Amino acid sequence: MTPMKWFLTYLKQYRPRIIFGLVLVTAMAALAIVSPNISGEIVDGVIQGGKYEELPVLIMILIGATAARSVLKFCVPYNFEICSQGIIYKMRDEIYEKLLAEDFHFFDRNRTGDLMSRQTGDMEAIRNFTAATIYAVFENILYFSFALLMIFTVNIKLALGMLCILPFTALTTVLQMRAVKPAFRGIRRQFSSLNAFVQENISANRVVKAFAKEDYEMEKFEKENDAYRDAELACARVWEKYVPVFELFSNVLMVMLMLYGGYLAVAGEITVGNMVTVNGYLWMLNSPLRMAGWYINDIQRFVTSVEKIYDTFSVEPAIKNEAEKKETDRNEAAEEKNISCKTRENGPERPGTDRGALRGDVEFRHVSYRAPDGELLIRDVSFHAHRGQTIGIIGPTGSGKSILMNLLCRFYDATEGEVLVDGMDVRKADLKNLRDRIGMAMQDVFLFSDTIEGNLAYGRPDCDFETVKKAAVAADANHFIKETPDGYDTIVGERGVGLSGGQKQRISLARALVKDPEILILDDTTSAVDMETESYIQKQLKNIGRDHTVFIIAYRISSVKDADQIYVMQHGQITERGTHRELVNRGGYYAQVFAHQYGKGVTDHGEK
């Protein structure tokens, strides 16, 4: 599907209203003919012919036509504004839904600011085209056509003289369209880059201030701003090159009427009233020519924006339900064969997404994962975690610990081997149900600009307050939450501003516990809390872990030493496995980390 065909699928829903609007535009253009005709009749019939009794009737017709055009001038924009808002509402809704469905690979490749610019600036260009440009272009084409037709009824020679301007106008239009399209692409590209830069620096304002790099960031911003300005000026130069040409053509029409029309009047081929009539039509010829450059700009801006938004919409996530993959394959095959494929109104059917319980058995069978750039990040990993077990995963930075859990949640798909939950390959499980039954406290804690209770209940917004409080107590967060100005109703700033790193980690842990998941993943969840708080949290996890499979990713030995099984990850492989006592006695990487963190001469239980 091309970008324009994709846009027409949204326009199709409003086709009756758009056709009705174009009918109103046609009526409005037809009424514009009345005034010049009446003016010419007044000159020839009333002033020169002495038919004064016709004057009141002619004036009433003139007033009526003007009033009718005034009403239509209100109705037409309103009608198309309804269409534009409806189209943009649906488009924005579906684009946002598509963004939510995209996988991690998509967001790894695209910057947030760029995606935001497509949801704002590009959407506005499409709205403006639908609300104004469509009917304005159609209206001006009608004005030019009707005026030229009426001039033919007045005098064929004069009409043919004015018609000579059309080939030059058409040639200029084509040249401008070719020149302005790459210019607008450059504008949208630079605007996206500028938007992404600003978004990134606003998010990182504390880092900028901490390093006192305001001047450095200002210099970088000025470069981005200069590039955007240059792109706009490049487009303006195209506009300045061609728009005066259209203005020249409109003035040529005026000169032609005065010279050639005057000559015909002197020669007696047309009357003075005919000259007045043609002069009245002149604005209907001039206006389209003068506005042609503007409309070409608007159209090219619209085309560029549709292409950019479609680039986002057309990206199919690699991670999706099996039924959705088959649906996509069928649609693509149908498009290749030019077969009309009727899409469902609410998208492809999905397997049931009810909160079906899992047992919590997790197995990795010879799993490997290769990144899109070709780097092998996970190498032939195999292990089995039974329901109720606590699994500790430890290893140096970049060893692949978090990626293992991302494969379990199916944020990425294994390139080799199988990840099984309750004996089923996660690639065959329903994505929503799978992730709904896994609770994850991520390494990079993100809190929404909401109340503390709203953040805690994010996974289960329908749960009662006691459930939220119980999870907060288990995560050792209840005491500091009560000390905040409004307790659980305290609004958290953007990304958790106002809370310490340890407090955010505990809220993140509590948020995962509220879901009451069968599988709980704690990715470096207690790195920012003190040892006493960590010990309290570990005791609470022992109480809830009997019916849950818990994965603890950590750098601290204290976080994993009580786990049923501990896996040591190095260079994407499991190099050691066993209990705390077994690994310490083995004298490998785990024992070295243990000795480094607890000091030499400690027992395998970490007590001096």
Side-chain angles (χ1 to χ4, degrees):
M1 182 181 291
T2 63
M4 291 312 302
K5 284 184 178 179
W6 171 75
F7 171 73
L8 290 175
T9 60
Y10 292 93
L11 205 64
K12 188 182 297 182
Q13 180 182 351
Y14 291 88
R15 183 164 53 188
R17 183 177 282 275
I18 289 173
I19 292 173
F20 172 70
L22 295 179
V23 169
L24 295 182
V25 172
T26 305
M28 189 165 62
L31 287 171
I33 298 171
V34 175
S35 181
N37 269 319
I38 295 297
S39 300
E41 185 61 31
I42 290 174
V43 172
D44 283 345
V46 177
I47 298 176
Q48 293 187 338
K51 300 177 183 178
Y52 300 109
E53 68 279 1
E54 294 181 1
L55 184 60
V57 177
L58 294 174
I59 290 176
M60 290 300 295
I61 294 174
L62 192 60
I63 293 173
T66 304
R69 285 195 72 231
S70 299
V71 173
L72 290 175
K73 276 188 171 292
F74 167 78
C75 294
V76 168
Y78 181 73
N79 177 76
F80 279 91
E81 187 64 40
I82 291 174
C83 295
S84 70
Q85 292 297 337
I87 289 169
I88 288 300
Y89 177 85
K90 185 177 180 182
M91 186 180 292
R92 190 183 290 120
D93 207 38
E94 292 187 2
I95 293 294
Y96 186 70
E97 184 180 6
K98 191 68 183 288
L99 288 175
L100 291 178
E102 292 294 351
D103 52 38
F104 279 21
H105 287 304
F106 176 84
F107 293 102
D108 291 343
R109 297 191 304 267
N110 292 278
R111 295 183 296 179
T112 304
D114 187 22
L115 296 175
M116 287 297 298
S117 72
R118 300 183 190 193
Q119 283 285 78
T120 52
D122 290 316
M123 285 287 185
E124 179 60 23
I126 294 174
R127 189 208 65 79
N128 182 69
F129 174 82
T130 311
T133 307
I134 288 178
Y135 83 81
V137 170
F138 183 70
E139 179 184 29
N140 279 273
I141 291 173
L142 288 178
Y143 280 156
F144 194 90
S145 303
F146 285 177
L148 200 59
L149 181 64
M150 295 307 296
I151 293 173
F152 265 106
T153 64
V154 173
N155 186 273
I156 295 177
K157 293 180 181 178
L158 184 59
L160 289 174
M162 292 185 168
L163 198 60
C164 291
I165 203 78
L166 277 183
F168 301 101
T169 305
L171 177 61
T172 307
T173 301
V174 171
L175 292 175
Q176 184 181 359
M177 289 182 70
R178 288 180 178 176
V180 82
K181 188 171 184 177
F184 273 120
R185 283 179 177 169
I187 287 175
R188 298 311 305 163
R189 183 171 56 251
Q190 292 301 330
F191 178 75
S192 296
S193 179
L194 179 64
N195 203 41
F197 178 85
V198 172
Q199 183 273 332
E200 185 178 65
N201 277 270
I202 290 175
S203 299
N205 66 88
R206 283 167 173 75
V207 177
V208 174
K209 291 184 181 301
F211 285 86
K213 301 299 289 182
E214 289 90 346
D215 292 340
Y216 173 68
E217 292 299 331
M218 194 63 212
E219 289 178 8
K220 289 169 62 179
F221 175 79
E222 286 176 356
K223 290 180 181 178
E224 292 287 343
N225 205 18
D226 288 346
Y228 178 60
R229 178 201 60 196
D230 293 342
E232 286 281 7
L233 289 176
C235 185
R237 281 192 290 271
V238 174
W239 177 81
E240 290 172 355
K241 181 179 178 181
Y242 289 99
V243 170
V245 178
F246 289 110
E247 189 73 24
L248 173 64
F249 292 156
S250 68
N251 290 326
V252 167
L253 287 176
M254 174 68 74
V255 173
M256 186 175 294
L257 174 62
M258 293 297 103
L259 295 179
Y260 190 52
Y263 166 77
L264 292 175
V266 171
E269 293 190 32
I270 60 174
T271 65
V272 177
N274 292 150
M275 280 287 290
V276 172
T277 299
V278 174
N279 188 62
Y281 291 136
L282 197 59
W283 74 267
M284 296 175 67
L285 296 175
N286 284 342
S287 180
L289 291 178
R290 286 175 174 167
M291 296 301 296
W294 294 95
Y295 293 142
I296 291 170
N297 284 358
D298 288 343
I299 291 170
Q300 289 302 328
R301 190 186 296 270
F302 156 75
V303 171
T304 303
S305 295
V306 169
E307 289 174 350
K308 285 183 67 67
I309 294 177
Y310 183 70
D311 286 344
T312 301
F313 184 82
S314 61
V315 176
E316 286 295 331
I319 310 299
K320 59 168 65 174
N321 287 321
E322 199 169 36
E324 291 176 326
K325 277 189 175 181
K326 291 178 181 178
E327 181 80 15
T328 302
D329 293 341
R330 282 198 299 269
N331 289 342
E332 289 177 351
E335 282 190 21
E336 288 178 3
K337 297 177 181 179
N338 293 321
I339 298 174
S340 174
C341 186
K342 185 178 179 181
T343 56
R344 297 180 179 89
E345 185 174 325
N346 296 319
E349 293 179 357
R350 299 180 180 180
T353 55
D354 296 333
R355 286 174 60 87
L358 303 175
R359 291 194 306 276
D361 288 334
V362 175
E363 183 179 1
F364 278 62
R365 290 183 185 171
H366 304 290
V367 172
S368 296
Y369 173 72
R370 189 178 297 275
D373 61 4
E375 184 180 1
L376 190 62
L377 301 179
I378 299 295
R379 306 164 186 263
D380 194 26
V381 169
S382 296
F383 66 85
H384 196 161
H386 297 281
R387 177 188 180 185
Q389 282 191 323
T390 297
I391 305 298
I393 303 177
I394 194 170
T397 301
S399 58
K401 305 184 296 297
S402 297
I403 294 177
L404 274 185
M405 297 300 100
N406 288 337
L407 295 176
L408 172 59
C409 297
R410 211 184 161 209
F411 296 142
Y412 302 102
D413 272 340
T415 48
E416 294 179 25
E418 294 178 311
V419 180
L420 307 174
V421 174
D422 295 347
M424 177 186 288
D425 192 326
V426 294
R427 286 173 287 201
K428 297 181 180 178
D430 177 71
L431 269 177
K432 186 175 181 181
N433 189 49
L434 173 70
R435 293 171 182 170
D436 196 37
R437 304 312 304 148
I438 297 176
M440 190 172 191
M442 295 186 175
Q443 187 176 22
D444 181 18
V445 179
F446 185 94
L447 300 181
F448 294 92
S449 298
D450 194 0
T451 63
I452 292 178
E453 182 182 358
N455 274 282
L456 292 174
Y458 184 72
R460 285 179 60 192
D462 57 339
C463 69
D464 55 47
F465 176 73
E466 288 305 316
T467 302
V468 172
K469 186 176 180 181
K470 181 179 178 182
V473 170
D476 197 32
N478 182 60
H479 66 92
F480 79 76
I481 292 174
K482 291 192 297 184
E483 294 174 358
T484 58
D486 298 312
Y488 284 83
D489 292 325
T490 300
I491 299 292
V492 176
E494 186 177 6
R495 297 186 65 91
V497 172
L499 299 176
S500 68
Q503 289 172 334
K504 286 192 286 187
Q505 282 193 334
R506 280 176 276 177
I507 288 179
S508 177
L509 172 59
R511 179 168 60 189
L513 296 177
V514 166
K515 289 183 68 175
D516 189 26
E518 285 80 3
I519 300 172
L520 180 63
I521 300 171
L522 308 180
D523 190 352
D524 200 23
T525 308
T526 57
S527 61
V529 301
D530 57 78
M531 298 297 290
E532 183 180 352
T533 300
E534 183 186 33
S535 177
Y536 172 83
I537 292 174
Q538 294 300 330
K539 291 178 182 177
Q540 296 296 319
L541 289 177
K542 285 181 181 179
N543 294 331
I544 69 165
R546 295 168 186 170
D547 296 323
H548 302 72
T549 306
V550 181
F551 292 89
I552 301 175
I553 300 173
Y555 295 97
R556 288 180 182 173
I557 296 292
S558 58
S559 297
V560 299
K561 66 185 182 67
D562 294 325
D564 299 300
Q565 277 288 303
I566 301 171
Y567 300 115
V568 176
M569 291 284 297
Q570 290 180 285
H571 308 294
Q573 303 176 80
I574 295 179
T575 55
E576 300 176 46
R577 62 181 75 201
T579 63
H580 171 72
R581 183 187 298 272
E582 292 170 347
L583 292 174
V584 169
N585 292 335
R586 194 167 296 165
Y589 173 85
Y590 185 88
Q592 293 174 14
V593 174
F594 177 76
H596 176 74
Q597 292 184 4
Y598 284 89
K600 296 180 180 180
V602 298
T603 69
D604 54 355
H605 295 289
E607 297 172 353
K608 292 184 179 179

